[in-house]
Amino acid sequence: MAGAESYHVTVHDNGGRVRPAFTMRQLPSVGLCFDIDGRRWQVQRVTSKIENSGDSTSVMCDAVQVAR
């Protein structure tokens, strides 16, 4: 069913740190903005995408903090 898939997202920030993983309903892509820990982030690059069993996909991406 379209839209039922969830994406487990792990973000590497521009300082090389890994942010806590979170789940979203939209596939992260370059330019997408989202909030983590009250800060705004923008995806710079999607580094991996792994299809899991069921309706979830694990995605790793690089992101930078941007102004709100």
Side-chain angles (χ1 to χ4, degrees):
M1 178 172 151
E5 188 166 10
S6 63
Y7 300 94
H8 299 284
V9 182
T10 303
V11 174
H12 288 87
D13 68 18
N14 52 336
R17 292 178 298 275
V18 178
R19 297 292 169 173
F22 63 96
T23 301
M24 62 191 313
R25 292 277 179 201
Q26 179 179 358
L27 176 64
S29 58
V30 173
L32 177 72
C33 290
F34 51 85
D35 293 327
I36 302 176
D37 298 332
R39 296 185 184 118
R40 191 85 170 149
W41 297 86
Q42 184 177 45
V43 176
Q44 299 295 298
R45 181 173 59 139
V46 175
T47 55
S48 73
K49 180 179 158 189
I50 301 168
E51 303 284 335
N52 299 323
S53 59
D55 288 331
S56 72
T57 300
S58 293
V59 179
M60 293 184 76
C61 59
D62 293 336
V64 294
Q65 190 174 339
V66 295
R68 292 184 145 235

